[in-house]
């Protein structure tokens, strides 16, 4: 996992090369009215990031689908994208079969497996990404591929290409400092349940970090965002919880009134004696800030795993679940 995280900036550049070579045959006879991205876990978080990063540019809604079924509103004006790194995600494969039955034409992003087979059989457009890695370590491939799909169908311009190149350069330049900071913070978080708070525009980043705590660090975590935190969860901070640690994601483009809320909330938590830490984003734009925080979270989850004596690559219980589900015939 160490090398996979370290190679993340290079992966972004490699994903841009794959995107440039992608071929699309799907045609829309009417304007695209909505986008549905279907995927789970490390394959699905790209959809959340897509919607968040393009919130000020996209003129059509994005729905991120995380299950066995697809929304009833889907029709021939829907851009449907199916993402499964392995190509064997049970839920996403089920959605691919549903799409085939309904004669929809989804775009598939995968490294192979059943999803690739279904795509070839039904002449679905297919972006093939490198295989053989944990899905959570291939976010660069999946998220960049999504942007190329939207770009091809005229929903976004070309500016994302330069933005991702800048992201890769920033992460490469900052990586040594990120690693140093993450290793130091991990020492304070050992054995804790992590609570990740962020401004609502960084919701997907907080969720991604939670997922990495779960899979890499073998730790529990939960996520909430401002201002929602202040409408319920704030009331629960009445005493010290020694088993908890709060990590607050900060950025200089927070909504101004959320900054006031974050500062007030941090004051309340600190008065109770709870452990609270901030991770501050770097970058010139929202792309750079998002991926800076994501990379920070990846390294933090790695060092936390090592510090707690866990192999960050090992996910035996998820493998056991997949075998269990495959043995069940409905």
């Amino acid at each position: 996992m160490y090398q996979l995280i370290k190679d993340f900036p290079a992966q972004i550049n490699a994903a841009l090369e794959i995107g440039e070579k992608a071929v699309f045959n799907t045609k829309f006879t009417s304007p695209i009215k909505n986008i549905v991205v279907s995927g789970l876990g490390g394959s699905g978080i790209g959809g959340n990031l897509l919607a968040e990063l393009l919130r000020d540019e996209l003129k059509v809604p994005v729905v991120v689908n995380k299950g066995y079924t697809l929304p009833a509103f889907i029709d021939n004006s829907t851009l449907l994208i199916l993402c499964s790194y392995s190509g064997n995600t049970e839920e996403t494969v089920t959605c691919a079969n549903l799409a085939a039955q309904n004669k929809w034409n989804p775009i598939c992003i995968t490294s192979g497996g059943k999803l690739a087979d279904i795509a070839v059989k039904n002449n679905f457009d297919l972006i093939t990404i490198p295989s053989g890695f944990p899905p959570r370590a291939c976010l660069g491939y999946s998220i960049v591929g999504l942007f190329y799909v939207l770009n091809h169908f005229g929903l976004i311009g070309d500016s994302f290409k330069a933005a991702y190149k800048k992201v890769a350069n920033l992460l490469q330049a900052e990586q040594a400092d990120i690693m140093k900071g993450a290793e130091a913070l991990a020492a304070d978080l050992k054995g804790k349940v992590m609570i990740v708070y962020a401004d609502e525009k960084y919701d997907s980043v907080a969720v991604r970090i939670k997922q990495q705590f779960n899979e890499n660090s073998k730790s529990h975590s939960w996520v909430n965002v401002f201002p929602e935190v202040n409408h319920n969860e704030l009331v629960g901070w009445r005493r010290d919880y020694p088993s908890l640690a709060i990590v607050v994601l900060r950025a200089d483009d927070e909504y101004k009134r959320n900054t006031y809320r974050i500062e007030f909330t941090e004051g309340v938590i600190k008065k109770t004696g709870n452990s609270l830490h901030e991770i501050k984003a770097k970058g010139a734009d929202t792309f750079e800030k998002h991926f800076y925080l994501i990379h920070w979270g990846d390294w933090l989850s790695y060092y936390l795993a090592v510090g707690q004596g866990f192999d960050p690559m090992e996910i035996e219980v998820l493998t056991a679940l997949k075998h269990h589900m495959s043995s069940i015939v409905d």
Side-chain angles (χ1 to χ4, degrees):
M1 185 59 70
Y2 177 95
Q3 194 61 45
L4 291 172
I5 298 173
K6 193 169 178 50
D7 289 344
F8 185 60
Q11 182 185 125
I12 292 174
N13 285 324
L16 289 167
E17 293 178 6
I18 292 171
E20 288 295 319
K21 297 175 183 177
V23 176
F24 300 94
N25 296 309
T26 297
K27 307 292 183 185
F28 283 87
T29 57
S30 58
I32 294 172
K33 294 181 179 178
N34 49 67
I35 303 164
V36 175
V37 181
S38 192
L40 293 99
S43 300
I45 192 63
N48 299 89
L49 277 165
L50 176 86
E52 201 163 88
L53 288 166
L54 295 175
R55 63 192 295 171
D56 296 327
E57 182 177 354
L58 270 179
K59 303 301 183 183
V60 297
V62 179
V63 173
V64 182
N65 188 69
K66 297 179 183 288
Y68 289 93
T69 61
L70 290 167
F73 64 76
I74 290 179
D75 58 24
N76 290 327
S77 66
T78 299
L79 175 57
L80 174 60
I81 310 171
L82 304 178
C83 298
S84 168
Y85 176 74
S86 69
N88 294 315
T89 307
E90 182 178 287
E91 301 90 332
T92 310
V93 169
T94 301
C95 289
N97 285 321
L98 284 172
Q101 291 169 18
N102 285 281
K103 300 190 183 304
W104 297 323
N105 291 298
I107 315 299
C108 301
I109 301 177
T110 182
S111 68
K114 295 177 182 178
L115 182 58
D117 291 341
I118 295 169
V120 171
K121 179 181 178 180
N122 293 278
N123 295 314
F124 296 158
D125 284 339
L126 175 64
I127 297 178
T128 303
I129 55 181
S131 62
F133 305 108
R136 63 190 183 278
C138 293
L139 175 63
Y141 290 124
S142 59
I143 183 64
V144 173
L146 289 172
F147 274 75
Y148 271 95
V149 173
L150 269 60
N151 176 251
H152 173 77
F153 291 104
L155 296 170
I156 60 173
D158 292 333
S159 62
F160 74 93
K161 299 175 186 179
Y164 274 115
K165 289 177 182 177
K166 288 171 57 183
V167 165
N169 290 337
L170 173 72
L171 298 186
Q172 191 63 56
E174 295 289 339
Q175 190 169 75
D177 286 342
I178 291 173
M179 293 169 67
K180 183 178 179 180
E183 186 172 18
L185 179 54
D188 291 335
L189 299 182
K190 287 194 294 185
K192 304 281 189 179
V193 174
M194 263 68 67
I195 302 169
V196 185
Y197 285 157
D199 180 281
E200 55 91 18
K201 73 183 297 181
Y202 290 92
D203 187 7
S204 64
V205 177
V207 172
R208 162 70 178 189
I209 292 175
K210 171 202 173 295
Q211 292 174 343
Q212 296 295 76
F213 282 154
N214 296 154
E215 292 194 70
N216 289 344
S217 312
K218 283 68 182 175
S219 300
H220 282 298
S221 177
W222 82 71
V223 168
N224 209 338
V225 294
F226 293 92
E228 182 65 23
V229 172
N230 292 157
H231 292 267
N232 39 68
E233 199 162 310
L234 179 62
V235 182
W237 291 111
R238 297 295 181 93
R239 61 181 177 84
D240 182 19
Y241 296 91
S243 63
L244 302 182
I246 300 90
V247 176
V248 185
L249 309 180
R250 301 300 306 272
D252 59 12
D253 60 350
E254 296 164 351
Y255 188 74
K256 185 175 180 180
R257 296 194 68 79
N258 277 341
T259 297
Y260 302 146
R261 289 178 177 276
I262 292 169
E263 292 170 350
F264 181 91
T265 300
E266 287 185 340
V268 170
I269 294 171
K270 288 176 180 177
K271 285 180 181 178
T272 65
N274 283 278
S275 172
L276 186 146
H277 307 270
E278 287 190 344
I279 302 174
K280 296 182 179 180
K282 289 186 179 181
D285 57 34
T286 189
F287 274 74
E288 292 184 2
K289 293 180 178 72
H290 269 72
F291 285 97
Y292 178 90
L293 290 171
I294 285 171
H295 203 48
W296 226 104
D298 285 356
W299 280 117
L300 181 58
S301 72
Y302 170 81
Y303 285 117
L304 186 59
V306 172
Q308 295 180 146
F310 295 123
D311 175 1
M313 291 287 285
E314 181 269 311
I315 50 167
E316 291 179 3
V317 69
L318 297 185
T319 303
L321 173 62
K322 290 176 183 177
H323 289 320
H324 172 71
M325 294 302 296
S326 66
S327 71
I328 299 172
V329 179
D330 293 331

